[in-house]
């Protein structure tokens, strides 16, 4: 089985893409380009005929789509077909916001059960349809700010367990600067692969560890 | 004032309502929502003029009521909500005749005080949505103390309580604290393998009903309508002429088929009563011109028997395609290689390989009981061993 292409040639050449069925943590600080990485990964997965469930915890579904547009990533034809947005943010600015044909609106960061139910049932629908699925959580830093570490640990453990069982590739974005080393360590212990990103002198670099093809020295991302 | 009810037929049959002074714990596994049980219970009490108090920390009152409406549970009186959510977010919530707003939802004392005051006013039914969120945002002991508070008030007011709870594997000791405090416990779970292909609920304990056996039932939460119970459905699919109709007629005593010239044109149906399991068997047509029906027929199935003709490997890709078209890919599946005694029938290993089945995937051979009686326009009775083997394997996967 070939990997999931991220849309970054240097990354894909060095790693063969993301391993299907694995869980990944994408870490880096604010300017590191985690979000850029995740938008391109989503677009590249969709172009590769995969299905994406995109959980947004810190921007609305409309703002998320603008991010794609701003990068000339055209995903319009996938919306509601292979691309589903679980909007866990918009109700904090628009309490009455409702679903549309590609977005399910959730209750926000403290309702981890609501999020789990939505992710699981969307995944089930897609898997029954014979699709290969990528879940992206952008980002779990916001969830960590609202929930205590024990609660988050239970939640992440459950999500990772279900992802393993159902063969869904899962990507968590995390801004490690926002959390204590213990919290970061705990999150790291739950995933298979860790993708670290950084910005240095205007250039982006990555490392990957924990998977078959590791890249342990900072390598230009592009 | 009426005795509080569940408003969910099966639960009201089992438990005959909720007597006063009783606490009911509705405990769900994380991937299965239990909130609709709450909507339905609140609705059915409010419309029967029972005064309901909802402690809400999962979402805002506005969203809660909108969701209830989506299920067609519209109420305009008899519900008071304690809003312990809005002030955690940027949402402004105003105190009204029917909402009490917790100013600081992170303040245990305020929650305790407001809840206690409100309970003093006397409600017929108290609902918590959700108890586990109290645990998640504070700790187990605080949640338990809230249950104790409610329990204590129930004793003096004619009132009962329903607690929605998600079991995030908190640990046996803590769970027991809740178990011993509740008079009835209802479990809500998913049948989870690769996908969640069904959800069921069951009463696992109840101290006011004696001498009854409780069974679990499959359900769906339907908009509008709420909790609907359904019977387990097993889909029989596969390419044309493989023997689907024959399989169903061999497995079920009362099978009916919508057929023309021996080919199924709509569906086959049979009731299955097999070694203690009951289920509905639904057979699809195999001919491609009926493909538009497949998705509908596959809906709500919890398991699949895929039937192929052992002599026709050229049809195997079509067999896989039918799993896709019935949208049952990823459900527990048993493959039946029918017509195994005909000349040219492939060996099981060969079939396994050509269908890309793993070495542990259940695969059974079946064939006609009596080769001298095969009518091309009639289903054929298949030998029991293969049919029973396949059914047994499927139920093993499902339980
Ligand atoms: N020789 C032999 N004939 C069989 C066997 N099983 C079924 N048949 C015959 O094969 C034909 C097709 O069987 P059905 O059970 O109608 O097949 P089906 O899969 O329901 O077909 P469609 O509904 O048209 O897709 C009938 O004539 C059956 O009598 C078997 O094991 N051996
Ligand atoms: Mg038939």
């Amino acid at each position: 089985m070939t990997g999931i292409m991220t849309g970054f040639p240097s990354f894909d050449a060095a790693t063969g893409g993301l391993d299907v069925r694995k869980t990944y943590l994408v870490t880096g600080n604010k300017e590191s380009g985690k979000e850029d990485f995740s938008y391109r990964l989503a677009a590249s997965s969709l172009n590769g005929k995969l299905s994406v469930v995109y959980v947004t915890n810190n921007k609305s579904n409309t703002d998320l789509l603008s991010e794609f547009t701003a990068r000339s990533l055209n995903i319009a034809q996938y919306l509601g077909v292979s691309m589903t947005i679980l909007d866990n943010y918009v109700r904090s600015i628009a309490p009455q916001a409702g679903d549309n044909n590609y977005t399910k609106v959730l209750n926000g960061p403290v309702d981890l059960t609501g999020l789990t139910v939505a992710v699981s049932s969307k995944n089930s629908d897609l898997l029954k349809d014979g699709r290969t699925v990528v879940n992206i959580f952008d980002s779990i830093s916001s969830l960590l700010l609202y929930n205590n570490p024990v609660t988050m640990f239970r939640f992440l453990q459950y999500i990772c367990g279900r992802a393993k069982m159902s063969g869904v590739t899962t990507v968590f974005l995390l801004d490690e600067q926002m959390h204590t080393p213990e919290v970061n360590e705990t999150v790291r212990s739950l995933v298979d692969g860790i993708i670290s990103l950084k910005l240095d002198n205007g250039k982006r670099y990555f490392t990957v560890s924990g998977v078959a093809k590791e890249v342990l020295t900072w390598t230009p991302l592009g | 004032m009426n005795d509080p009810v569940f408003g969910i037929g099966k639960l009201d049959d089992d438990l005959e309502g909720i007597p006063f002074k009783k606490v009911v714990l509705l405990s769900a596994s994380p991937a299965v929502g239990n909130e609709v049980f709450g909507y339905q219970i609140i609705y059915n009490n409010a419309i029967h003029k029972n005064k309901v108090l909802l402690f809400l920390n999962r979402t805002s009152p506005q969203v809660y009521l909108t969701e209830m409406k989506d299920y067609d549970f519209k109420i305009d009186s008899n519900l008071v909500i304690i809003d312990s959510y809005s002030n955690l977010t940027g949402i402004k919530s105003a105190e009204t005749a029917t909402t009490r707003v917790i100013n600081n939802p992170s303040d245990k004392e305020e929650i305790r005080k407001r809840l206690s005051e409100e309970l003093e006013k006397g409600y017929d039914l108290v609902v918590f949505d959700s108890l586990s969120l109290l645990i998640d945002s504070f700790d187990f002991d605080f949640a338990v103390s809230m249950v104790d508070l409610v329990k204590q008030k129930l004793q003096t007011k004619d009132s009962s309580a329903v607690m929605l709870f998600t079991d995030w594997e908190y640990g046996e000791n803590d769970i027991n604290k809740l178990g011993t405090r509740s008079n009835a416990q209802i479990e809500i779970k998913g049948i989870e393998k690769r996908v969640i292909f069904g959800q069921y609920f069951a009463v696992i304990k109840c101290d006011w009903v004696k001498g009854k056996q409780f069974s679990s039932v499959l359900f769906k939460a339907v908009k509008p309508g709420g909790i609907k119970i359904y019977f387990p459905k097993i889909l029989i699919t596969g390419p044309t002429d493989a023997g689907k109709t024959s399989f169903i007629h061999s497995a079920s005593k009362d099978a009916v088929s919508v057929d023309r010239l021996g080919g199924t044109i709509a569906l086959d149906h049979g009731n299955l009563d097999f070694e203690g399991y009951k289920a509905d068997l639904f057979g699809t047509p195999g001919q491609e011109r009926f493909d538009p029906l497949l998705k509908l027929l596959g809906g709500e199935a919890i398991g699949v028997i895929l039937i192929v003709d052992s002599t026709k490997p050229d049809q195997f890709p079509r067999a896989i395609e039918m799993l896709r078209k019935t949208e049952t890919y990823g459900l527990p599946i048993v493959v039946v290689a029918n017509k195994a005694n005909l000349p040219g029938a492939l060996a099981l290993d060969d079939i396994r390989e050509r269908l890309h089945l793993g070495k542990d995937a259940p695969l059974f051979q079946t064939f006609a009981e009596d080769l001298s009686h095969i009518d091309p326009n009639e289903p054929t009775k298949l030998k029991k061993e293969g049919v029973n083997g396949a059914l047994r394997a499927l139920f093993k996967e499902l339980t």
Side-chain angles (χ1 to χ4, degrees):
Chain A
M1 178 86 70
T2 56
I4 297 169
M5 294 300 127
T6 63
F8 293 94
S10 67
F11 186 99
D12 294 334
T15 62
L18 303 188
D19 290 344
V20 181
R21 295 167 176 267
K22 292 254 153 93
T23 49
Y24 287 88
L25 185 67
V26 178
T27 75
N29 62 21
K30 266 205 168 44
E31 299 86 48
S32 64
K34 292 184 306 293
E35 292 175 351
D36 186 65
F37 184 89
S38 98
Y39 305 142
R40 290 185 196 276
L41 167 66
S44 164
S45 304
L46 292 166
N47 288 328
K49 302 223 169 7
L50 306 182
S51 295
V52 173
V53 176
Y54 203 107
V55 180
T56 162
N57 290 313
N58 47 25
K59 53 183 104 48
S60 69
N61 62 90
T62 337
D63 289 345
L64 176 68
L65 292 180
S66 314
E67 297 284 356
F68 283 92
T69 314
R71 290 168 174 76
S72 307
L73 299 168
N74 184 7
I75 59 159
Q77 79 260 36
Y78 303 120
L79 291 176
V81 187
S82 49
M83 169 81 169
T84 308
I85 302 172
L86 300 180
D87 188 334
N88 207 14
Y89 175 80
V90 69
R91 269 189 190 151
S92 66
I93 47 170
Q96 303 283 30
D99 299 348
N100 59 39
N101 67 355
Y102 52 84
T103 308
K104 184 165 173 49
V105 174
L106 304 176
N107 286 322
V110 293
D111 186 12
L112 296 175
T113 302
L115 175 57
T116 306
V117 172
V119 171
S120 306
S121 76
K122 191 67 218 169
N123 284 351
S124 285
D125 290 349
L126 293 166
L127 292 167
K128 282 193 211 168
D129 215 3
R131 296 169 190 265
T132 304
V133 182
V134 183
N135 288 339
I136 299 176
F137 291 80
D138 173 12
S139 76
I140 57 169
S141 285
S142 351
L143 298 181
L144 279 160
L145 292 183
Y146 281 93
N147 293 286
N148 69 49
V150 184
T151 299
M152 271 306 280
F153 179 73
R154 283 194 199 104
F155 164 76
L156 289 173
Q157 198 175 33
Y158 187 86
I159 291 281
C160 291
R162 269 229 63 81
K164 277 258 139 53
M165 180 135 81
S166 53
V168 170
T169 311
T170 301
V171 177
F172 302 109
L173 270 55
L174 179 74
D175 186 342
E176 291 195 329
Q177 284 187 327
M178 291 167 68
H179 316 289
T180 64
E182 295 78 48
V183 166
N184 293 332
E185 231 10 83
T186 309
V187 176
R188 281 171 172 254
S189 73
L190 285 168
V191 297
D192 300 310
I194 297 168
I195 300 168
S196 304
L197 301 175
K198 73 166 181 184
L199 182 73
D200 199 358
N201 263 326
K203 285 196 71 170
R204 294 189 197 290
Y205 298 85
F206 73 94
T207 61
V208 188
S209 61
V211 288
K213 283 194 175 173
E214 296 193 312
V215 178
L216 298 174
T217 52
W218 289 107
T219 307
L221 182 70
Chain B
M1 186 170 72
N2 302 280
D3 267 12
V5 291
F6 287 96
I8 296 162
K10 162 80 177 162
L11 287 177
D12 283 321
D13 288 349
D14 277 0
L15 306 182
E16 295 150 22
I18 314 171
F20 292 132
K21 308 191 196 323
K22 301 291 186 184
V23 175
V24 179
L25 187 70
L26 276 175
S27 166
S29 53
V32 180
N34 58 5
E35 72 281 5
V36 185
F37 285 81
Y39 303 153
Q40 196 151 338
I41 292 168
I42 290 173
Y43 172 73
N44 279 284
N45 280 282
I47 59 166
H48 287 110
K49 302 206 165 42
N50 283 332
K51 281 169 64 197
V52 183
L53 176 67
L54 168 66
F55 177 85
L56 183 63
N57 56 355
R58 180 177 60 80
T59 188
S60 66
Q62 296 90 317
V63 168
Y64 195 90
L65 294 171
T66 311
E67 287 238 331
M68 279 186 75
K69 275 199 203 105
D70 288 348
Y71 285 93
D72 221 10
F73 298 144
K74 287 184 227 99
I75 42 174
D76 40 30
S77 53
N78 299 325
L79 174 65
V80 169
I81 301 180
I82 299 183
D83 176 1
S84 189
Y85 173 87
S86 297
N87 280 333
L88 268 187
T89 68
I91 305 169
K92 287 274 161 297
S93 181
E95 191 105 7
T96 67
T98 55
T99 12
R100 316 276 178 263
V101 182
I102 304 280
N103 290 317
N104 178 6
S106 311
D107 178 358
K108 289 181 182 174
E109 276 323 303
E110 187 187 352
I111 293 176
R112 192 193 311 275
K113 187 160 166 285
R114 295 302 300 268
L115 181 63
S116 180
E117 283 167 8
E118 204 54 44
L119 287 168
E120 264 314 305
K121 297 182 185 162
Y123 285 88
D124 300 307
L125 178 71
V126 181
V127 176
F128 264 60
D129 186 354
S130 85
L131 191 60
S132 32
L133 256 172
L134 271 184
I135 300 166
D136 295 344
S137 13
F138 302 101
D139 49 59
F140 222 97
D141 290 340
F142 180 63
V144 167
S145 76
M146 287 296 100
V147 178
D148 285 339
L149 172 66
V150 170
K151 248 197 120 143
Q152 179 210 328
K153 300 277 179 190
L154 298 186
Q155 306 313 310
T156 53
K157 314 277 160 195
D158 272 344
S159 154
S160 48
V162 171
M163 309 268 171
L164 300 192
F165 174 74
T166 298
D167 187 355
W168 286 95
E169 296 177 8
Y170 291 106
E172 212 174 318
N173 263 350
D174 283 333
I175 296 290
N176 283 344
K177 288 185 201 160
L178 289 180
T180 53
R181 284 167 169 81
S182 46
N183 303 92
Q185 200 169 335
I186 297 161
E187 219 169 51
I188 304 168
K189 288 197 160 176
I191 311 176
E192 307 177 20
K193 289 269 155 77
R194 200 160 112 72
V195 299
I196 297 169
F197 46 84
Q199 8 187 34
Y200 65 89
F201 68 81
V203 178
I204 57 166
K205 138 181 166 183
C206 176
D207 68 5
W208 69 84
V209 177
K210 304 277 183 247
K212 249 192 203 174
Q213 281 275 359
F214 302 118
S215 57
S216 58
V217 287
L218 291 162
F219 74 91
K220 261 201 158 166
V222 197
K223 277 184 195 177
I227 305 294
K228 294 275 179 272
I229 310 285
Y230 69 96
F231 220 55
K233 167 174 166 184
I234 292 167
L235 190 75
I236 317 289
T237 192
T240 186
D241 255 5
K244 301 176 292 296
T245 303
S246 301
F247 186 94
I248 291 176
H249 285 256
S250 310
S252 162
K253 285 191 194 70
D254 58 1
V256 286
S257 299
V258 189
D259 273 22
R260 188 173 318 127
L261 298 173
T264 305
I265 58 168
L267 61 90
D268 312 296
H269 176 264
N271 293 303
L272 180 69
D273 191 344
F274 176 78
E275 298 182 350
Y277 297 104
K278 282 182 197 284
D280 280 324
L281 301 181
F282 276 83
T284 71
Q287 294 175 51
E288 280 174 38
R289 61 195 170 105
F290 301 117
D291 280 7
L293 297 174
L294 292 180
K295 183 173 168 183
L296 192 75
L297 289 170
E300 291 186 356
I302 60 162
V304 186
I305 295 185
L306 179 67
I307 310 222
V308 296
D309 181 333
S310 307
T311 67
K312 294 202 176 134
D314 51 317
Q315 284 187 336
F316 290 3
R318 166 71 178 158
I320 302 294
E321 179 186 59
M322 293 189 73
L323 293 181
R324 268 176 218 275
K325 292 204 163 159
T326 52
E327 296 190 2
T328 55
Y329 210 76
L331 262 54
I333 182 172
V334 169
V335 180
V336 166
N338 190 32
K339 309 197 187 183
N341 63 343
L342 286 187
L346 299 178
L348 278 183
D349 283 347
D350 205 355
I351 293 174
R352 193 178 284 283
E353 196 177 316
R354 288 176 195 245
L355 277 171
H356 310 294
L357 299 175
K359 66 175 185 348
D360 298 325
L363 172 64
F364 290 84
Q365 280 182 322
T366 52
F367 47 84
E369 210 169 60
D370 179 0
L371 273 183
S372 64
H373 276 87
I374 290 182
D375 176 342
N377 292 330
E378 287 297 331
T380 290
K381 177 112 178 136
L382 304 176
K383 246 179 115 76
K384 263 208 323 277
E385 282 88 334
V387 173
N388 289 351
L391 292 172
R392 212 167 281 140
L394 187 66
F395 284 115
K396 188 160 170 256
E397 293 274 300
L398 286 171
T399 49

